[in-house]
Amino acid sequence: MSDFSYVCQQYGVPACYGRRVVVNGKGGTILEDHGHYIGVNFDADKPGVVLPCHPTSNVKYLDLGEPRRLSRSQQRYRDYLRSEDVFESFVDYLKSGVAT
């Protein structure tokens, strides 16, 4: 998680991890700092789907909410994608024992 300091200072918005937002009429939760953008998991999407949104373009900031948890398999795949080790495939990653 990042601290969202750039977005907050540059755009003057209260962006932070777990904050509920409405973007273009769709509800969601901020989960990631994408530099100039906020990463939002919309309620209609699966928990692991995070889309970049401009912090001031049709965004209404609400109270803090509870982010939805990823399933165990979603978390393992996300760990694989973020891994600094080089694996030929996700299967190789699982076989390596890194994923527990």
Side-chain angles (χ1 to χ4, degrees), residues 2-3 6 8-9 12 15 21-22 29 32 41 43 45-47 50-51 60 76 85 89 94 97:
S2 183
D3 63 358
Y6 177 81
C8 293
Q9 291 173 2
V21 291
V22 176
T29 305
E32 296 178 1
N41 171 238
D43 298 338
D45 294 335
K46 291 183 178 183
V50 178
L51 301 173
K60 180 179 179 185
R76 248 184 282 161
D85 297 327
S89 68
L94 294 174

Side-chain angles (χ1 to χ4, degrees), residues 3 17 34-36 39-40 43 49-50 56 60 65 77 84 86 99:
D3 63 358
Y17 179 82
H34 287 209
H36 294 277
V40 178
D43 298 338
V49 177
V50 178
T56 62
K60 180 179 179 185
Y77 189 68
E84 293 182 10
V86 178

